[in-house]
Amino acid sequence: MDHLPAALERAGNEESWAMADAVSRVLKNSEELRSWRRHLLSACIKGLVAMYSSSKDESKQEVERSMLLRLEELLCVVEEVDSDDWCNLVKTGLKYRYRDETFLKVLNVAIKLLYKKESSLSQ
């Protein structure tokens, strides 16, 4: 469990995400769930940045789409993100996927969630 988030950061690692989902189900009523989800959120963001940087064309659209939907889901639950991770995602995403409708949709949702008045990023 401790090593799984690092494995998730590698681009296109769907098998590890299936395992992460299983761990999340096990932790469902645990105090560790919030921390686990924060690790997953960070790994998801780093995975997307790695995907965008390594695949400047949009050849892995379905994998990217599933990661973006996972990112949106995690953001809705966690509602906070590391500012360095966030900046890297926005910068890399806008550089390589500024035309991608799914990326822009998730970015819009994320901005609304993360920049509420009570959010640390809004300051």
Side-chain angles (χ1 to χ4, degrees):
M1 189 171 134
D2 295 333
H3 303 289
L4 190 55
L8 296 172
E9 293 175 15
R10 284 183 245 128
N13 202 346
E14 283 300 308
E15 298 82 19
S16 295
W17 279 104
M19 186 172 290
D21 291 339
V23 171
S24 295
R25 284 190 297 275
V26 169
L27 293 175
K28 186 176 181 179
N29 296 319
S30 168
E31 294 177 13
E32 297 177 54
L33 183 60
R34 182 154 178 81
S35 174
W36 173 248
R37 285 180 173 160
R38 290 181 73 204
H39 288 299
L40 291 181
L41 179 59
S42 179
C44 186
I45 290 172
K46 290 175 182 173
L48 280 166
V49 169
M51 247 189 273
Y52 293 161
S53 298
S54 68
S55 177
K56 292 170 180 53
D57 63 338
E58 299 179 26
S59 61
K60 296 182 179 181
Q61 278 187 327
E62 196 53 42
V63 175
E64 289 178 10
R65 187 177 188 290
S66 71
M67 290 290 289
L68 284 166
L69 295 176
R70 183 178 301 277
L71 173 68
E72 182 178 4
E73 178 185 320
L74 287 166
L75 279 170
C76 288
V77 174
V78 177
E79 293 187 346
E80 62 182 80
V81 67
D82 178 76
S83 59
D84 290 337
D85 288 347
W86 174 245
C87 288
N88 285 334
L89 176 66
V90 171
K91 181 176 129 182
T92 308
L94 289 174
K95 183 175 183 180
Y96 297 115
R97 299 298 187 268
Y98 63 92
R99 293 184 196 167
D100 184 304
E101 183 179 336
T102 307
F103 170 75
L104 294 174
K105 177 187 164 281
V106 172
L107 182 63
N108 186 35
V109 168
I111 288 170
K112 288 178 182 177
L113 278 171
L114 296 174
Y115 289 92
K116 294 185 290 191
K117 275 190 174 185
E118 57 272 4
S119 170
S120 62
L121 281 178
S122 68
Q123 298 172 7

